[in-house]
Amino acid sequence: MSDFCTTPGLTLFPAVDVAGGQAVRLTQGEAGTETGYGDPVAAADDWKSQGAEWLHLVDLDAAFGRGDNRSVIKKVIKQVKGIDVELSGGIRDDRSLDDALSTGVKRINLGTAALENPEWAAHVIAEYGEAVAVGLDVRGTTLAARGWTEDGGDLWTVLARLEDAGCARYVVTDVTKDGTLTGPNTDLLRQVMERTDRPVIASGGISSLDDIAALRELVPLGLEGAIVGKALYSGAFTLAAALDVASVS
């Protein structure tokens, strides 16, 4: 039996990014590059019907600080009841944290708050443990904040601080890859996993089933999952096919 066949499975997170009430995908995280894909509730239902066990749900308007999509987000979560959801976008204080947790999601992802308000983020990490992941959105080794519109500090400095705070999980996105269908940044993922024993979720650039197979080979190093977005929406492959490649053989 090959090593690949004995590698543990890679968890896939089909993405539903919501802006203006619609499911959209951005290119390199830039506002104004949205490609619309219709009703986010229908998209989420499609991923569930294809066998998704998780959903990566993002309120882009909240992330960019230009409003929110709370009502739509709640409809999506209700539609996919029975599978786990991680929610991100604009969770930066007690009120937005409480609002996010009250939706019943399995996990929330902190982004900007983990960079700009480290004491509050450390408190949230300590209190909620596995229910909190931190998104590390990177250009080179510089973190991106405020919907990827501002620099958020050095990746390695912030990662060391989050390790000290006991962060349970990291979602690592190469912003320059996101929405480009140019393949994931496996070098970045390896560098992050060398510096933490916590599970890591990859995001950005997945374009083919071969990319998913390559990421699955990183599972023994600490890669837990991968977020898949534009490739699914553009029809590069089906979620069902991706789940087959990602699963234990």
Side-chain angles (χ1 to χ4, degrees), residues 204-240:
I206 292 175
S207 64
S208 67
L209 296 177
D210 286 343
D211 288 339
I212 292 174
L215 290 174
R216 188 184 158 197
E217 293 178 353
L218 300 181
V219 169
L221 302 180
L223 192 68
E224 179 180 63
I227 295 167
V228 189
K230 198 165 190 176
L232 291 176
Y233 288 92
S234 65
F237 49 78
T238 65
L239 178 59

PDB file of all heavy atoms in Angstrom, residues 204-240:
ATOM      1  N   GLY A 204      -6.552  29.448  -0.298  1.00  0.00           N
ATOM      2  CA  GLY A 204      -6.015  30.267  -1.371  1.00  0.00           C
ATOM      3  C   GLY A 204      -5.344  29.487  -2.476  1.00  0.00           C
ATOM      4  O   GLY A 204      -4.385  28.764  -2.234  1.00  0.00           O
ATOM      5  N   GLY A 205      -5.869  29.622  -3.689  1.00  0.00           N
ATOM      6  CA  GLY A 205      -5.178  29.142  -4.875  1.00  0.00           C
ATOM      7  C   GLY A 205      -5.535  27.773  -5.395  1.00  0.00           C
ATOM      8  O   GLY A 205      -5.095  27.390  -6.483  1.00  0.00           O
ATOM      9  N   ILE A 206      -6.297  26.980  -4.639  1.00  0.00           N
ATOM     10  CA  ILE A 206      -6.603  25.621  -5.094  1.00  0.00           C
ATOM     11  C   ILE A 206      -7.332  25.676  -6.428  1.00  0.00           C
ATOM     12  O   ILE A 206      -8.333  26.366  -6.580  1.00  0.00           O
ATOM     13  CB  ILE A 206      -7.447  24.876  -4.046  1.00  0.00           C
ATOM     14  CG1 ILE A 206      -6.622  24.610  -2.788  1.00  0.00           C
ATOM     15  CG2 ILE A 206      -7.981  23.556  -4.615  1.00  0.00           C
ATOM     16  CD1 ILE A 206      -7.408  23.996  -1.655  1.00  0.00           C
ATOM     17  N   SER A 207      -6.796  24.928  -7.406  1.00  0.00           N
ATOM     18  CA  SER A 207      -7.335  24.992  -8.765  1.00  0.00           C
ATOM     19  C   SER A 207      -7.681  23.644  -9.363  1.00  0.00           C
ATOM     20  O   SER A 207      -8.343  23.580 -10.395  1.00  0.00           O
ATOM     21  CB  SER A 207      -6.323  25.682  -9.689  1.00  0.00           C
ATOM     22  OG  SER A 207      -5.131  24.907  -9.781  1.00  0.00           O
ATOM     23  N   SER A 208      -7.199  22.571  -8.746  1.00  0.00           N
ATOM     24  CA  SER A 208      -7.361  21.247  -9.354  1.00  0.00           C
ATOM     25  C   SER A 208      -7.384  20.164  -8.287  1.00  0.00           C
ATOM     26  O   SER A 208      -7.017  20.401  -7.126  1.00  0.00           O
ATOM     27  CB  SER A 208      -6.203  20.968 -10.319  1.00  0.00           C
ATOM     28  OG  SER A 208      -4.982  20.850  -9.587  1.00  0.00           O
ATOM     29  N   LEU A 209      -7.778  18.980  -8.708  1.00  0.00           N
ATOM     30  CA  LEU A 209      -7.732  17.835  -7.798  1.00  0.00           C
ATOM     31  C   LEU A 209      -6.295  17.490  -7.434  1.00  0.00           C
ATOM     32  O   LEU A 209      -6.029  16.991  -6.333  1.00  0.00           O
ATOM     33  CB  LEU A 209      -8.438  16.633  -8.428  1.00  0.00           C
ATOM     34  CG  LEU A 209      -9.939  16.803  -8.674  1.00  0.00           C
ATOM     35  CD1 LEU A 209     -10.499  15.573  -9.378  1.00  0.00           C
ATOM     36  CD2 LEU A 209     -10.697  17.053  -7.372  1.00  0.00           C
ATOM     37  N   ASP A 210      -5.356  17.773  -8.340  1.00  0.00           N
ATOM     38  CA  ASP A 210      -3.941  17.543  -8.022  1.00  0.00           C
ATOM     39  C   ASP A 210      -3.489  18.434  -6.863  1.00  0.00           C
ATOM     40  O   ASP A 210      -2.680  18.004  -6.026  1.00  0.00           O
ATOM     41  CB  ASP A 210      -3.066  17.823  -9.248  1.00  0.00           C
ATOM     42  CG  ASP A 210      -3.171  16.735 -10.309  1.00  0.00           C
ATOM     43  OD1 ASP A 210      -3.653  15.632  -9.980  1.00  0.00           O
ATOM     44  OD2 ASP A 210      -2.766  16.999 -11.459  1.00  0.00           O
ATOM     45  N   ASP A 211      -4.008  19.662  -6.803  1.00  0.00           N
ATOM     46  CA  ASP A 211      -3.681  20.540  -5.680  1.00  0.00           C
ATOM     47  C   ASP A 211      -4.168  19.942  -4.368  1.00  0.00           C
ATOM     48  O   ASP A 211      -3.478  20.010  -3.338  1.00  0.00           O
ATOM     49  CB  ASP A 211      -4.317  21.920  -5.880  1.00  0.00           C
ATOM     50  CG  ASP A 211      -3.651  22.733  -6.968  1.00  0.00           C
ATOM     51  OD1 ASP A 211      -2.485  22.440  -7.311  1.00  0.00           O
ATOM     52  OD2 ASP A 211      -4.307  23.662  -7.473  1.00  0.00           O
ATOM     53  N   ILE A 212      -5.349  19.375  -4.386  1.00  0.00           N
ATOM     54  CA  ILE A 212      -5.893  18.767  -3.170  1.00  0.00           C
ATOM     55  C   ILE A 212      -5.064  17.554  -2.768  1.00  0.00           C
ATOM     56  O   ILE A 212      -4.766  17.343  -1.588  1.00  0.00           O
ATOM     57  CB  ILE A 212      -7.376  18.391  -3.378  1.00  0.00           C
ATOM     58  CG1 ILE A 212      -8.192  19.684  -3.501  1.00  0.00           C
ATOM     59  CG2 ILE A 212      -7.894  17.523  -2.231  1.00  0.00           C
ATOM     60  CD1 ILE A 212      -9.624  19.480  -3.857  1.00  0.00           C
ATOM     61  N   ALA A 213      -4.649  16.761  -3.743  1.00  0.00           N
ATOM     62  CA  ALA A 213      -3.792  15.620  -3.447  1.00  0.00           C
ATOM     63  C   ALA A 213      -2.465  16.076  -2.842  1.00  0.00           C
ATOM     64  O   ALA A 213      -1.949  15.458  -1.898  1.00  0.00           O
ATOM     65  CB  ALA A 213      -3.542  14.813  -4.723  1.00  0.00           C
ATOM     66  N   ALA A 214      -1.919  17.175  -3.369  1.00  0.00           N
ATOM     67  CA  ALA A 214      -0.652  17.696  -2.831  1.00  0.00           C
ATOM     68  C   ALA A 214      -0.820  18.178  -1.395  1.00  0.00           C
ATOM     69  O   ALA A 214       0.063  17.968  -0.543  1.00  0.00           O
ATOM     70  CB  ALA A 214      -0.146  18.826  -3.721  1.00  0.00           C
ATOM     71  N   LEU A 215      -1.950  18.805  -1.107  1.00  0.00           N
ATOM     72  CA  LEU A 215      -2.198  19.263   0.260  1.00  0.00           C
ATOM     73  C   LEU A 215      -2.417  18.084   1.198  1.00  0.00           C
ATOM     74  O   LEU A 215      -1.992  18.116   2.361  1.00  0.00           O
ATOM     75  CB  LEU A 215      -3.400  20.204   0.292  1.00  0.00           C
ATOM     76  CG  LEU A 215      -3.185  21.574  -0.346  1.00  0.00           C
ATOM     77  CD1 LEU A 215      -4.497  22.361  -0.387  1.00  0.00           C
ATOM     78  CD2 LEU A 215      -2.126  22.372   0.403  1.00  0.00           C
ATOM     79  N   ARG A 216      -3.055  17.054   0.711  1.00  0.00           N
ATOM     80  CA  ARG A 216      -3.275  15.890   1.567  1.00  0.00           C
ATOM     81  C   ARG A 216      -1.955  15.282   2.025  1.00  0.00           C
ATOM     82  O   ARG A 216      -1.856  14.755   3.142  1.00  0.00           O
ATOM     83  CB  ARG A 216      -4.102  14.844   0.805  1.00  0.00           C
ATOM     84  CG  ARG A 216      -4.521  13.693   1.695  1.00  0.00           C
ATOM     85  CD  ARG A 216      -5.247  12.606   0.947  1.00  0.00           C
ATOM     86  NE  ARG A 216      -5.153  11.364   1.711  1.00  0.00           N
ATOM     87  CZ  ARG A 216      -5.396  10.169   1.211  1.00  0.00           C
ATOM     88  NH1 ARG A 216      -5.759  10.031  -0.043  1.00  0.00           N
ATOM     89  NH2 ARG A 216      -5.286   9.104   1.954  1.00  0.00           N
ATOM     90  N   GLU A 217      -0.933  15.391   1.201  1.00  0.00           N
ATOM     91  CA  GLU A 217       0.371  14.858   1.583  1.00  0.00           C
ATOM     92  C   GLU A 217       0.987  15.630   2.750  1.00  0.00           C
ATOM     93  O   GLU A 217       1.928  15.154   3.389  1.00  0.00           O
ATOM     94  CB  GLU A 217       1.308  14.876   0.378  1.00  0.00           C
ATOM     95  CG  GLU A 217       0.885  13.900  -0.719  1.00  0.00           C
ATOM     96  CD  GLU A 217       1.800  13.949  -1.932  1.00  0.00           C
ATOM     97  OE1 GLU A 217       2.686  14.836  -1.968  1.00  0.00           O
ATOM     98  OE2 GLU A 217       1.633  13.111  -2.828  1.00  0.00           O
ATOM     99  N   LEU A 218       0.469  16.840   3.023  1.00  0.00           N
ATOM    100  CA  LEU A 218       0.974  17.643   4.137  1.00  0.00           C
ATOM    101  C   LEU A 218       0.266  17.341   5.456  1.00  0.00           C
ATOM    102  O   LEU A 218       0.632  17.882   6.495  1.00  0.00           O
ATOM    103  CB  LEU A 218       0.824  19.133   3.824  1.00  0.00           C
ATOM    104  CG  LEU A 218       1.560  19.661   2.583  1.00  0.00           C
ATOM    105  CD1 LEU A 218       1.332  21.163   2.438  1.00  0.00           C
ATOM    106  CD2 LEU A 218       3.042  19.340   2.646  1.00  0.00           C
ATOM    107  N   VAL A 219      -0.743  16.492   5.420  1.00  0.00           N
ATOM    108  CA  VAL A 219      -1.501  16.172   6.637  1.00  0.00           C
ATOM    109  C   VAL A 219      -0.591  15.649   7.757  1.00  0.00           C
ATOM    110  O   VAL A 219      -0.726  16.069   8.911  1.00  0.00           O
ATOM    111  CB  VAL A 219      -2.642  15.185   6.324  1.00  0.00           C
ATOM    112  CG1 VAL A 219      -3.264  14.641   7.608  1.00  0.00           C
ATOM    113  CG2 VAL A 219      -3.714  15.871   5.468  1.00  0.00           C
ATOM    114  N   PRO A 220       0.367  14.756   7.467  1.00  0.00           N
ATOM    115  CA  PRO A 220       1.229  14.290   8.569  1.00  0.00           C
ATOM    116  C   PRO A 220       2.061  15.400   9.210  1.00  0.00           C
ATOM    117  O   PRO A 220       2.538  15.251  10.333  1.00  0.00           O
ATOM    118  CB  PRO A 220       2.138  13.264   7.880  1.00  0.00           C
ATOM    119  CG  PRO A 220       1.365  12.798   6.689  1.00  0.00           C
ATOM    120  CD  PRO A 220       0.645  14.011   6.211  1.00  0.00           C
ATOM    121  N   LEU A 221       2.214  16.532   8.508  1.00  0.00           N
ATOM    122  CA  LEU A 221       2.995  17.647   9.052  1.00  0.00           C
ATOM    123  C   LEU A 221       2.149  18.588   9.896  1.00  0.00           C
ATOM    124  O   LEU A 221       2.686  19.500  10.529  1.00  0.00           O
ATOM    125  CB  LEU A 221       3.636  18.444   7.910  1.00  0.00           C
ATOM    126  CG  LEU A 221       4.561  17.670   6.972  1.00  0.00           C
ATOM    127  CD1 LEU A 221       5.123  18.595   5.901  1.00  0.00           C
ATOM    128  CD2 LEU A 221       5.685  16.999   7.754  1.00  0.00           C
ATOM    129  N   GLY A 222       0.822  18.371   9.884  1.00  0.00           N
ATOM    130  CA  GLY A 222      -0.056  19.202  10.689  1.00  0.00           C
ATOM    131  C   GLY A 222      -1.161  19.900   9.932  1.00  0.00           C
ATOM    132  O   GLY A 222      -1.935  20.663  10.519  1.00  0.00           O
ATOM    133  N   LEU A 223      -1.248  19.669   8.618  1.00  0.00           N
ATOM    134  CA  LEU A 223      -2.327  20.283   7.850  1.00  0.00           C
ATOM    135  C   LEU A 223      -3.615  19.504   8.092  1.00  0.00           C
ATOM    136  O   LEU A 223      -3.675  18.296   7.867  1.00  0.00           O
ATOM    137  CB  LEU A 223      -2.001  20.294   6.354  1.00  0.00           C
ATOM    138  CG  LEU A 223      -2.929  21.172   5.516  1.00  0.00           C
ATOM    139  CD1 LEU A 223      -2.719  22.645   5.846  1.00  0.00           C
ATOM    140  CD2 LEU A 223      -2.726  20.933   4.027  1.00  0.00           C
ATOM    141  N   GLU A 224      -4.617  20.197   8.562  1.00  0.00           N
ATOM    142  CA  GLU A 224      -5.884  19.550   8.918  1.00  0.00           C
ATOM    143  C   GLU A 224      -6.909  19.628   7.793  1.00  0.00           C
ATOM    144  O   GLU A 224      -7.709  18.706   7.602  1.00  0.00           O
ATOM    145  CB  GLU A 224      -6.459  20.222  10.163  1.00  0.00           C
ATOM    146  CG  GLU A 224      -7.787  19.662  10.619  1.00  0.00           C
ATOM    147  CD  GLU A 224      -8.300  20.381  11.853  1.00  0.00           C
ATOM    148  OE1 GLU A 224      -8.562  21.606  11.769  1.00  0.00           O
ATOM    149  OE2 GLU A 224      -8.430  19.739  12.905  1.00  0.00           O
ATOM    150  N   GLY A 225      -6.910  20.749   7.068  1.00  0.00           N
ATOM    151  CA  GLY A 225      -7.950  20.924   6.072  1.00  0.00           C
ATOM    152  C   GLY A 225      -7.580  21.974   5.048  1.00  0.00           C
ATOM    153  O   GLY A 225      -6.502  22.570   5.095  1.00  0.00           O
ATOM    154  N   ALA A 226      -8.505  22.194   4.109  1.00  0.00           N
ATOM    155  CA  ALA A 226      -8.298  23.181   3.061  1.00  0.00           C
ATOM    156  C   ALA A 226      -9.629  23.805   2.682  1.00  0.00           C
ATOM    157  O   ALA A 226     -10.638  23.103   2.546  1.00  0.00           O
ATOM    158  CB  ALA A 226      -7.643  22.543   1.837  1.00  0.00           C
ATOM    159  N   ILE A 227      -9.608  25.113   2.526  1.00  0.00           N
ATOM    160  CA  ILE A 227     -10.788  25.852   2.077  1.00  0.00           C
ATOM    161  C   ILE A 227     -10.772  25.900   0.552  1.00  0.00           C
ATOM    162  O   ILE A 227      -9.750  26.233  -0.058  1.00  0.00           O
ATOM    163  CB  ILE A 227     -10.785  27.269   2.666  1.00  0.00           C
ATOM    164  CG1 ILE A 227     -10.929  27.189   4.194  1.00  0.00           C
ATOM    165  CG2 ILE A 227     -11.914  28.114   2.071  1.00  0.00           C
ATOM    166  CD1 ILE A 227     -10.634  28.485   4.909  1.00  0.00           C
ATOM    167  N   VAL A 228     -11.892  25.552  -0.052  1.00  0.00           N
ATOM    168  CA  VAL A 228     -11.991  25.520  -1.513  1.00  0.00           C
ATOM    169  C   VAL A 228     -13.108  26.468  -1.936  1.00  0.00           C
ATOM    170  O   VAL A 228     -14.232  26.375  -1.441  1.00  0.00           O
ATOM    171  CB  VAL A 228     -12.284  24.105  -2.033  1.00  0.00           C
ATOM    172  CG1 VAL A 228     -12.150  24.064  -3.548  1.00  0.00           C
ATOM    173  CG2 VAL A 228     -11.350  23.085  -1.395  1.00  0.00           C
ATOM    174  N   GLY A 229     -12.799  27.384  -2.829  1.00  0.00           N
ATOM    175  CA  GLY A 229     -13.785  28.367  -3.243  1.00  0.00           C
ATOM    176  C   GLY A 229     -13.976  28.453  -4.737  1.00  0.00           C
ATOM    177  O   GLY A 229     -14.796  27.762  -5.317  1.00  0.00           O
ATOM    178  N   LYS A 230     -13.157  29.285  -5.372  1.00  0.00           N
ATOM    179  CA  LYS A 230     -13.382  29.624  -6.777  1.00  0.00           C
ATOM    180  C   LYS A 230     -13.361  28.403  -7.689  1.00  0.00           C
ATOM    181  O   LYS A 230     -14.092  28.337  -8.679  1.00  0.00           O
ATOM    182  CB  LYS A 230     -12.343  30.639  -7.246  1.00  0.00           C
ATOM    183  CG  LYS A 230     -12.753  31.370  -8.521  1.00  0.00           C
ATOM    184  CD  LYS A 230     -11.895  32.602  -8.734  1.00  0.00           C
ATOM    185  CE  LYS A 230     -12.453  33.468  -9.843  1.00  0.00           C
ATOM    186  NZ  LYS A 230     -11.681  34.727  -9.991  1.00  0.00           N
ATOM    187  N   ALA A 231     -12.510  27.427  -7.387  1.00  0.00           N
ATOM    188  CA  ALA A 231     -12.430  26.234  -8.231  1.00  0.00           C
ATOM    189  C   ALA A 231     -13.770  25.498  -8.287  1.00  0.00           C
ATOM    190  O   ALA A 231     -14.162  24.965  -9.333  1.00  0.00           O
ATOM    191  CB  ALA A 231     -11.334  25.298  -7.729  1.00  0.00           C
ATOM    192  N   LEU A 232     -14.476  25.483  -7.155  1.00  0.00           N
ATOM    193  CA  LEU A 232     -15.791  24.847  -7.125  1.00  0.00           C
ATOM    194  C   LEU A 232     -16.807  25.655  -7.919  1.00  0.00           C
ATOM    195  O   LEU A 232     -17.569  25.119  -8.724  1.00  0.00           O
ATOM    196  CB  LEU A 232     -16.277  24.682  -5.684  1.00  0.00           C
ATOM    197  CG  LEU A 232     -15.540  23.668  -4.810  1.00  0.00           C
ATOM    198  CD1 LEU A 232     -16.085  23.718  -3.390  1.00  0.00           C
ATOM    199  CD2 LEU A 232     -15.682  22.256  -5.377  1.00  0.00           C
ATOM    200  N   TYR A 233     -16.800  26.961  -7.705  1.00  0.00           N
ATOM    201  CA  TYR A 233     -17.786  27.813  -8.363  1.00  0.00           C
ATOM    202  C   TYR A 233     -17.567  27.881  -9.875  1.00  0.00           C
ATOM    203  O   TYR A 233     -18.521  28.036 -10.644  1.00  0.00           O
ATOM    204  CB  TYR A 233     -17.752  29.223  -7.768  1.00  0.00           C
ATOM    205  CG  TYR A 233     -18.328  29.301  -6.382  1.00  0.00           C
ATOM    206  CD1 TYR A 233     -17.517  29.166  -5.258  1.00  0.00           C
ATOM    207  CD2 TYR A 233     -19.681  29.498  -6.177  1.00  0.00           C
ATOM    208  CE1 TYR A 233     -18.042  29.231  -3.973  1.00  0.00           C
ATOM    209  CE2 TYR A 233     -20.224  29.578  -4.895  1.00  0.00           C
ATOM    210  CZ  TYR A 233     -19.399  29.437  -3.805  1.00  0.00           C
ATOM    211  OH  TYR A 233     -19.924  29.497  -2.529  1.00  0.00           O
ATOM    212  N   SER A 234     -16.310  27.779 -10.303  1.00  0.00           N
ATOM    213  CA  SER A 234     -16.012  27.852 -11.736  1.00  0.00           C
ATOM    214  C   SER A 234     -16.153  26.504 -12.438  1.00  0.00           C
ATOM    215  O   SER A 234     -16.022  26.429 -13.657  1.00  0.00           O
ATOM    216  CB  SER A 234     -14.592  28.388 -11.945  1.00  0.00           C
ATOM    217  OG  SER A 234     -13.628  27.482 -11.425  1.00  0.00           O
ATOM    218  N   GLY A 235     -16.404  25.443 -11.657  1.00  0.00           N
ATOM    219  CA  GLY A 235     -16.619  24.122 -12.248  1.00  0.00           C
ATOM    220  C   GLY A 235     -15.343  23.371 -12.571  1.00  0.00           C
ATOM    221  O   GLY A 235     -15.363  22.432 -13.379  1.00  0.00           O
ATOM    222  N   ALA A 236     -14.218  23.751 -11.949  1.00  0.00           N
ATOM    223  CA  ALA A 236     -12.960  23.051 -12.200  1.00  0.00           C
ATOM    224  C   ALA A 236     -13.059  21.588 -11.766  1.00  0.00           C
ATOM    225  O   ALA A 236     -12.450  20.695 -12.379  1.00  0.00           O
ATOM    226  CB  ALA A 236     -11.811  23.742 -11.463  1.00  0.00           C
ATOM    227  N   PHE A 237     -13.814  21.333 -10.725  1.00  0.00           N
ATOM    228  CA  PHE A 237     -14.113  19.971 -10.269  1.00  0.00           C
ATOM    229  C   PHE A 237     -15.324  20.065  -9.355  1.00  0.00           C
ATOM    230  O   PHE A 237     -15.716  21.152  -8.931  1.00  0.00           O
ATOM    231  CB  PHE A 237     -12.923  19.337  -9.537  1.00  0.00           C
ATOM    232  CG  PHE A 237     -12.303  20.199  -8.470  1.00  0.00           C
ATOM    233  CD1 PHE A 237     -12.899  20.328  -7.217  1.00  0.00           C
ATOM    234  CD2 PHE A 237     -11.120  20.881  -8.713  1.00  0.00           C
ATOM    235  CE1 PHE A 237     -12.346  21.121  -6.238  1.00  0.00           C
ATOM    236  CE2 PHE A 237     -10.549  21.692  -7.733  1.00  0.00           C
ATOM    237  CZ  PHE A 237     -11.155  21.811  -6.493  1.00  0.00           C
ATOM    238  N   THR A 238     -15.920  18.936  -9.056  1.00  0.00           N
ATOM    239  CA  THR A 238     -17.057  18.914  -8.143  1.00  0.00           C
ATOM    240  C   THR A 238     -16.557  18.702  -6.714  1.00  0.00           C
ATOM    241  O   THR A 238     -15.465  18.156  -6.496  1.00  0.00           O
ATOM    242  CB  THR A 238     -18.042  17.786  -8.482  1.00  0.00           C
ATOM    243  OG1 THR A 238     -17.389  16.516  -8.275  1.00  0.00           O
ATOM    244  CG2 THR A 238     -18.524  17.904  -9.927  1.00  0.00           C
ATOM    245  N   LEU A 239     -17.366  19.128  -5.760  1.00  0.00           N
ATOM    246  CA  LEU A 239     -16.994  18.887  -4.370  1.00  0.00           C
ATOM    247  C   LEU A 239     -16.939  17.392  -4.089  1.00  0.00           C
ATOM    248  O   LEU A 239     -16.052  16.925  -3.373  1.00  0.00           O
ATOM    249  CB  LEU A 239     -17.987  19.566  -3.431  1.00  0.00           C
ATOM    250  CG  LEU A 239     -17.731  19.355  -1.944  1.00  0.00           C
ATOM    251  CD1 LEU A 239     -16.350  19.863  -1.533  1.00  0.00           C
ATOM    252  CD2 LEU A 239     -18.810  20.003  -1.093  1.00  0.00           C
ATOM    253  N   ALA A 240     -17.851  16.648  -4.659  1.00  0.00           N
ATOM    254  CA  ALA A 240     -17.856  15.193  -4.452  1.00  0.00           C
ATOM    255  C   ALA A 240     -16.526  14.572  -4.891  1.00  0.00           C
ATOM    256  O   ALA A 240     -15.962  13.726  -4.193  1.00  0.00           O
ATOM    257  CB  ALA A 240     -19.019  14.558  -5.197  1.00  0.00           C
TER     258      ALA A 240
END
